[in-house]
Amino acid sequence: MKFDIDYISHNNKLSFVNTDFKMIFAVVAMIITLFFDNLYLDCFIFLLMAILIMAVAGISIKNYLKFITIPFLFTFITCLFLMFFFGNGEIVYNTGIFGIAVREDSLNLAIHTFFRVFGCFSCLGFLALTTPIANILYSLRKAKVPKTLIEIALLMYNTIFIFLNQVDTMKKAQETRLGYVDYKTSVNSLSSLGVNMFLKSLEKSETLQCSLDSRGYDGELPVYEPAK
């Protein structure tokens, strides 16, 4: 099943829970994770959010793993750099390659950074997976967030899904033409995909502006107001 965060946010057991409460809960938990340098607290926040997402909201483990896969890879790579290239303490493991070694303080820094990032990310993940974007934007408007930021967030959210679908379509078209059979063709296909997506993004931006103008856009997008 293709991962669709918009579908999941509308179809879970917590989607109709008060959005303001969920936002306050997620933000407070994230602030606690940021300001208290405690590894056990970071792990507790991460596990708490995972339980709320999977056990309480009823989101499948498969969808949750898909959601955290890309952030996990970026965080893991970043922490590897912290572990091997920072720190001045006692050497824990020496690679023997150009003096690159894992030191005690760099290892602790990498571990704390990893779990702190994932503690904060799990708070945002709880909000994103259990709350429709329209409800989030409405709560932000009630919180007096500038309208310009809300409109940019709405347009970016919608445009991301359009581009993801476009990338998926173009990649499948390349695969049917044997565009990824070996390393050389994969590089050529990937570069071609990037160029085409850049041109498509320019075309889509012009189309979006024309569609807004044709619908009487006057500088302000209406925000959906959910039923109380």
Side-chain angles (χ1 to χ4, degrees):
M1 184 180 69
K2 184 179 178 181
F3 180 75
D4 189 343
I5 188 173
D6 198 51
Y7 175 82
I8 294 172
S9 64
H10 282 85
N11 296 273
N12 64 84
K13 297 177 182 178
L14 294 178
S15 61
F16 294 103
V17 175
N18 184 274
T19 304
D20 296 337
F21 171 75
K22 287 188 287 187
M23 289 187 66
I24 293 172
F25 173 72
V27 171
V28 170
M30 186 168 59
I31 291 174
I32 291 175
T33 306
L34 284 173
F35 282 91
F36 289 91
D37 186 13
N38 190 300
L39 180 61
Y40 298 105
L41 181 61
D42 297 340
C43 295
F44 172 76
I45 294 293
F46 175 74
L47 291 176
L48 175 63
M49 294 301 171
I51 292 172
L52 290 175
I53 291 171
M54 292 182 287
V56 180
I59 297 171
S60 66
I61 298 177
K62 183 179 180 180
N63 282 329
Y64 183 61
L65 291 178
K66 286 182 179 180
F67 179 74
I68 66 174
T69 296
I70 295 179
F72 173 82
L73 292 176
F74 276 102
T75 307
F76 182 74
I77 293 172
T78 302
C79 290
L80 280 181
F81 276 97
L82 290 176
M83 184 171 60
F84 283 105
F85 298 102
F86 291 85
N88 298 308
E90 182 181 351
I91 295 179
V92 177
Y93 172 74
N94 194 342
T95 62
I97 303 174
F98 299 110
I100 299 175
V102 178
R103 302 180 182 274
E104 185 176 359
D105 53 350
S106 63
L107 179 62
N108 292 331
L109 176 62
I111 293 174
H112 280 74
T113 301
F114 180 85
F115 283 101
R116 178 177 288 187
V117 169
F118 255 76
C120 294
F121 179 76
S122 64
C123 298
L124 296 178
F126 165 76
L127 186 62
L129 291 173
T130 62
T131 313
I133 186 63
N135 295 2
I136 295 176
L137 296 179
Y138 177 68
S139 294
L140 292 176
R141 190 178 72 170
K142 289 195 301 182
K144 305 302 180 182
V145 174
K147 294 180 180 179
T148 303
L149 295 180
I150 296 177
E151 291 177 3
I152 291 175
L154 176 61
L155 292 174
M156 288 180 62
Y157 185 82
N158 292 330
T159 306
I160 284 172
F161 289 103
I162 294 174
F163 285 144
L164 288 178
N165 289 331
Q166 189 71 37
V167 169
D168 186 58
T169 302
M170 294 173 65
K171 186 175 180 181
K172 287 181 179 177
Q174 289 178 330
E175 289 174 348
T176 58
R177 293 168 176 81
L178 304 179
Y180 295 92
V181 292
D182 53 36
Y183 178 76
K184 183 178 180 180
T185 55
S186 297
V187 172
N188 291 333
S189 298
L190 190 61
S191 61
S192 175
L193 180 64
V195 171
N196 288 329
M197 279 308 302
F198 176 74
L199 297 176
K200 283 289 184 181
S201 64
L202 295 178
E203 180 183 342
K204 289 290 184 181
S205 63
E206 294 179 359
T207 304
L208 178 61
Q209 186 61 51
C210 291
S211 63
L212 288 173
D213 293 337
S214 64
R215 289 166 175 78
Y217 177 67
D218 58 355
E220 180 178 349
L221 291 174
V223 177
Y224 166 76
E225 182 174 347
K228 295 183 180 180

